[in-house]
Amino acid sequence: MDKLPWIILSAGDNVAVATAAIAPGSTVAGIETREKIDPGHKVAITDIPLGAAVVKYGQAIGRTTAEVKAGDHVHSHNLHFENDRLAATANSAPETASSEDKARTFMGYRRADGRAATRNYIGIIASVNCSTTVCRAIADEANRTILPHYDGIDGFVPIVHDQGCGMSSTGDGMNVLHRTLAGYTRHVNFGGVLMIGLGCEVNQLTLYGQSGAGASKRHFNIQDAGGSRRAVERAMGMLREIAADVGREKRVPMSVSEIIIGLQCGGSDGFSGITANPALGVAADLLAAAGGTAILSETSEIYGAEHLLRSRAVSDEVAKKLDEKIAWWEDYVALHGASLDNNPSPGNKRGGLTTILEKSLGAVAKGGRSPLTAVYGYAERVTAPGLVFMDTPGYDPVSATGQVAGGANMIAFTTGRGSCFGCRPAPSLKLSSNSALYASMEEDMDIDCGTIATGDATISGKGREIFELIVDTASGKKTKSELFGYGDNEFVPWHLGATL
């Protein structure tokens, strides 16, 4: 039997989604299309009156701005954002994890404090923008002269940014920057860290408690070293000592319950919520059932679907924390004269996504169906197992930076348009939502989830494939982004507060 070029996602939907190009006059769910429908875009399967809700995933994604006839293309020209929510239906059970799933192990590095690492990097961390050039020079020199002597070290990583001075020493801006950098200095995938300051900045090295932290944790200021060149020379001596310690580390078996994975999506399209996101949700469910942790984030991209997460919260306190994050974002964007519905990008819209509600309903699928066990602020240390939520912007580098600062030792990133991303020290898997993207950017994509749309794979089967790749990657298998060299420029802390 020929595969249908369309899919209806829920029994209550009044639109179908094209999985392939549909010509005018084609039959979709018993109606005749009145115009061409591109892949990922929506077609009305019943008449929808002016001002009525358009329903996809069994939820409202906005209201019509004109009368829509069955067979019409439904998109920005006749659908707009309106802050509707339909009642959450009863939660279905998460993907079933077998006893074998729960007993799985991976080969990781056991740190002295007992934590499990998936990589063994050494970080060169800038306290301020003024020390970024020196940090890059130090990392380049160390990778050239020290790394070849240590097969067990994955590399020297410069963690640089544009903040650290010209800002208040108190308040949200400094608090977020300090929390983020502190999270990276203690990140489990860094076997050692050298933090470099200029010397006169607001974000002083003394705030990070590096003194006396041991052979693998060092810091100094460029001004104290006698300038840039002497700072690089001084750093080489320190890094040789750190590498001698870190280079002795060996991978050993450890439980998959020690994997903490950040869930990301970027450059989404109309297939993201149908293929890659729910498949990643299955993998997240399997990991959570095995005692591991999956971090869902991007608060501005779960807006409109937050009630579905709230209904899965393990307590009223967790639900209240989520509500507080949503309320903060509503006030924050209003203060800056913006709207949360501005979130879908031009690329998202070309891919078939019309409103933030539609995008959010697909984005939240990354979290699977597990109970929501905790809610965290940006870059806060994640300690709870299971599915948790971290408050972050929707901008991928900023969001992933917060997750890694919070302890994520891996990232899984879905995309429908072709986002390119890496996030050292955490290895980043890329999951394409459609097969055309995978074919055109195969050197960037780790898994093709588009086979779900074509009927060649199931969401459950693809989710298990992702779970297996997570375990293999945690054990040392290189991701496509690692092979290309991504990860040095994707550290982007959330910038809050005034620049002085």
Side-chain angles (χ1 to χ4, degrees):
M1 177 182 289
D2 292 336
K3 295 168 184 173
L4 296 173
W6 51 270
I7 185 172
I8 298 173
L9 300 174
S10 175
D13 291 359
N14 53 18
V15 293
V17 180
T19 57
I22 300 175
S26 301
T27 301
V28 173
I31 60 95
E32 184 176 302
T33 57
R34 293 157 54 91
E35 51 195 312
K36 179 186 176 184
I37 311 297
D38 289 327
H41 284 249
K42 300 173 290 294
V43 56
I45 56 175
T46 185
D47 292 344
I48 309 175
L50 169 65
V54 174
V55 181
K56 180 182 175 184
Y57 303 109
Q59 292 288 318
I61 62 170
R63 292 188 178 273
T64 56
T65 57
E67 182 181 2
V68 174
K69 295 292 187 183
D72 282 347
H73 179 212
V74 178
H75 199 33
S76 303
H77 62 289
N78 55 14
L79 168 63
H80 75 152
F81 167 78
E82 191 162 319
N83 205 357
D84 291 331
R85 304 290 191 277
L86 298 182
T89 56
N91 291 315
S92 54
E95 186 76 11
T96 302
S98 67
S99 56
E100 289 80 9
D101 293 328
K102 297 176 182 179
R104 291 293 299 278
T105 61
F106 72 99
M107 298 297 291
Y109 296 97
R110 180 67 67 194
R111 300 305 188 196
D113 61 4
R115 293 182 298 157
T118 63
R119 293 293 185 269
N120 194 31
Y121 285 110
I122 294 175
I124 318 298
I125 301 180
S127 68
V128 64
N129 175 258
C130 309
S131 62
T132 59
T133 298
V134 167
C135 283
R136 289 191 186 279
I138 291 169
D140 288 344
E141 182 67 10
N143 282 319
R144 186 179 66 84
T145 63
I146 301 177
L147 186 61
H149 300 286
Y150 295 96
D151 292 337
I153 297 176
D154 289 303
F156 294 82
V157 180
I159 300 296
V160 299
H161 54 96
D162 66 352
Q163 299 184 48
C165 207
M167 60 194 300
S168 172
S169 61
T170 60
D172 290 341
M174 178 55 88
N175 289 340
V176 167
L177 177 63
H178 179 264
R179 192 162 65 235
T180 304
L181 288 173
Y184 271 70
T185 64
R186 65 169 179 262
H187 195 277
V188 69
N189 284 359
F190 281 140
V193 165
L194 175 60
M195 195 169 192
I196 306 294
L198 177 61
C200 54
E201 63 270 18
V202 172
N203 188 35
Q204 288 285 300
L205 292 179
T206 52
L207 296 171
Y208 296 88
Q210 294 288 312
S211 298
S216 63
K217 305 283 186 180
R218 307 284 188 89
H219 72 220
F220 69 85
N221 287 316
I222 297 168
Q223 291 167 349
D224 295 335
S228 302
R229 181 181 57 79
R230 289 177 181 174
V232 175
E233 292 172 353
R234 181 175 177 180
M236 289 305 105
M238 291 181 171
L239 289 176
R240 288 187 182 95
E241 294 176 357
I242 293 173
D245 182 32
V246 174
R248 289 194 293 265
E249 298 284 340
K250 303 293 183 184
R251 289 186 181 270
V252 296
M254 49 190 64
S255 170
V256 295
S257 65
E258 300 188 78
I259 294 175
I260 304 173
I261 192 163
L263 311 175
Q264 286 289 322
C265 61
S268 301
D269 70 350
F271 290 110
S272 295
I274 301 171
T275 61
N277 288 353
L280 179 55
V282 167
D285 282 343
L286 292 172
L287 182 63
T293 304
I295 308 172
L296 184 66
S297 299
E298 303 172 292
T299 314
S300 57
E301 294 188 6
I302 63 116
Y303 184 72
E306 76 281 351
H307 61 302
L308 305 181
L309 281 176
R310 187 194 306 116
S311 70
R312 290 154 50 189
V314 297
S315 68
D316 291 340
E317 180 184 5
V318 171
K320 181 181 178 182
K321 284 184 177 180
L322 183 63
D323 288 340
E324 289 171 349
K325 301 302 183 187
I326 294 293
W328 183 92
W329 273 93
E330 288 176 329
D331 291 342
Y332 179 65
V333 297
L335 180 66
H336 293 278
S339 164
L340 283 170
D341 189 46
N342 289 339
N343 187 271
S345 68
N348 294 155
K349 293 187 177 182
R350 283 194 297 272
L353 296 176
T354 311
T355 69
I356 185 58
L357 302 181
E358 181 180 10
K359 185 176 181 182
S360 294
L361 290 163
V364 80
K366 299 192 302 294
R369 293 170 288 178
S370 297
L372 182 67
T373 61
V375 174
Y376 294 94
Y378 184 82
E380 283 186 348
R381 192 168 187 174
V382 173
T383 57
L387 175 68
V388 304
F389 186 82
M390 176 180 285
D391 179 34
T392 77
Y395 184 41
D396 316 318
V398 178
S399 181
T401 294
Q403 291 177 331
V404 174
N409 51 21
M410 287 189 64
I411 297 289
F413 192 122
T414 68
T415 182
R417 303 297 294 179
S419 295
C420 298
F421 187 77
C423 199
R424 293 201 294 180
S428 304
L429 291 169
K430 300 300 294 297
L431 317 176
S432 71
S433 70
N434 63 84
S435 296
L437 168 61
Y438 185 83
S440 67
M441 297 182 65
E442 187 173 352
E443 292 182 344
D444 290 280
M445 301 295 134
D446 294 281
I447 285 187
D448 176 17
C449 296
T451 52
I452 296 170
T454 61
D456 296 310
T458 64
I459 290 173
S460 178
K462 188 61 67 172
R464 285 193 166 270
E465 182 183 341
I466 295 169
F467 178 70
E468 293 297 331
L469 185 55
I470 288 171
V471 175
D472 289 345
T473 302
S475 298
K477 181 178 180 179
K478 298 292 187 184
T479 66
K480 299 286 184 68
S481 63
E482 287 179 295
L483 292 172
F484 189 80
Y486 276 105
D488 289 355
N489 301 299
E490 287 76 18
F491 176 76
V492 187
W494 193 0
H495 202 313
L496 288 173
T499 300
L500 303 178

